[in-house]
Amino acid sequence: LDMICPEDYNPADFVLFCIQTHDDERIRMVVEGWSSKGVRKGSAQVGAEVALPAIPKRKGFCTELAALSVREVKNALRDKGTLGARFGSTFFLTLIYGLVFFQIGNEDMEKGALVTRDGYDGQSHAGALTMVGISGMFGAAQPLLLTFASERPVFIREHASNMYGPIPYFISKTAVELPMVGMQTLLTWVLAYFLMG
C-alpha cells in the first residue's frame, strides 16, 4: 500500500494521521487493499459485531491519590537532571543578583567595600528584592512548564483509560512540587540575605 509507519511511531496514530491527511481515493484504496488481504488468524471477522469491554470502575479518590503521589515522588527523585537544573539555576541566578546588588541592604558600609555609596538607598533595596522575587517565581514555574508537554500524552491516555481523575493527578503533582519549591525559595532567600545584606 506504499504507506510505511515510521520507526518509534504508534501504528494506530499513523493510520489516523493518514486518514486525516490523504484524499478519499487514497483512503478507499487502503480499505480495499486491507480487505483483499483477508482476515488474519486470531482476529475478529470483518463486519462482525464486536462488543467492547466495559469501562473498568476507578479505584477511588484516596487510592488514586496515594498511587499517583508515590509515582510523582519516584519520578522527581529519579530525574536527577531536572532536579539538578532546578536547584543549579536557582543558585546561579540568585548568585548573579546577589553580586549585582552586593550588600545593597547594609546600612553600615565600610570603606574598602566593593560598592561605596552615601548611606542606605531604599529604592535599590526594593529593586533587589523585586528582582529576587521575580527570579524565584519564574524559577519555580519553569520546571513545570518544561515537563508539562512530555507528561500531557501520558495523562490523556491514562485518564481516557479511566485509571484516575484529574483532581487526584493535580493534587499529587502539587503535593510533590510544594516541598521542592519551598527548598528553592529557601535557597534563594538564604543566598540573597547574606549577599545583599
Side-chain angles (χ1 to χ4, degrees), residues 129-144:
L129 292 177
T130 301
M131 290 301 294
V132 169
I134 291 172
S135 173
M137 181 180 65
F138 281 110
Q142 194 68 24
L144 289 175

Side-chain angles (χ1 to χ4, degrees), residues 24 59 84 86-87 103 153 191 195:
D24 291 340
K59 297 294 182 191
R86 165 180 274 196
F87 287 101
Q103 294 297 313
L191 279 172
L195 286 173

Side-chain angles (χ1 to χ4, degrees), residues 2-13:
D2 296 330
M3 298 174 76
I4 300 170
C5 182
E7 199 172 317
D8 294 332
Y9 202 86
N10 184 345
D13 288 339

Side-chain angles (χ1 to χ4, degrees), residues 9-197:
Y9 202 86
N10 184 345
D13 288 339
F14 177 71
V15 170
L16 288 174
F17 174 76
C18 290
I19 289 171
Q20 291 172 348
T21 57
H22 287 72
D23 59 353
D24 291 340
E25 184 60 36
R26 179 75 170 152
I27 294 170
R28 194 174 305 110
M29 187 179 77
V30 170
V31 171
E32 289 171 3
W34 179 258
S35 299
S36 67
K37 297 277 184 190
V39 178
R40 294 189 177 152
K41 200 176 202 180
S43 63
Q45 293 292 332
V46 174
E49 293 288 329
V50 179
L52 294 174
I55 296 174
K57 288 184 120 183
R58 291 190 359 215
K59 297 294 182 191
F61 180 83
C62 293
T63 305
E64 294 171 7
L65 182 63
L68 287 168
S69 297
V70 168
R71 182 174 81 174
E72 286 303 319
V73 168
K74 285 181 181 178
N75 285 345
L77 295 177
R78 284 181 185 158
D79 194 1
K80 302 225 184 296
T82 302
L83 204 59
R86 165 180 274 196
F87 287 101
S89 66
T90 300
F91 179 82
F92 180 71
L93 288 174
T94 306
L95 185 66
I96 288 175
Y97 289 131
L99 293 175
V100 167
F101 294 105
F102 186 72
Q103 294 297 313
I104 201 73
N106 191 353
E107 293 181 19
D108 302 324
M109 292 294 290
E110 299 175 8
K111 296 275 188 196
L114 293 175
V115 179
T116 57
R117 63 177 191 273
D118 298 329
Y120 174 75
D121 184 9
Q123 190 173 7
S124 296
H125 193 182
L129 292 177
T130 301
M131 290 301 294
V132 169
I134 291 172
S135 173
M137 181 180 65
F138 281 110
Q142 194 68 24
L144 289 175
L145 294 174
L146 294 175
T147 59
F148 179 77
S150 62
E151 291 179 4
R152 184 177 180 269
V154 175
F155 169 75
I156 290 173
R157 184 173 50 248
E158 291 175 347
H159 179 62
S161 299
N162 212 20
M163 295 178 72
Y164 52 79
I167 294 173
Y169 175 78
F170 287 110
I171 289 175
S172 68
K173 294 252 343 144
T174 302
V176 171
E177 277 298 313
L178 280 177
M180 286 198 285
V181 169
M183 288 186 286
Q184 271 184 283
T185 305
L186 182 67
L187 176 64
T188 298
W189 290 112
V190 165
L191 279 172
Y193 179 79
F194 288 107
L195 286 173
M196 295 180 184

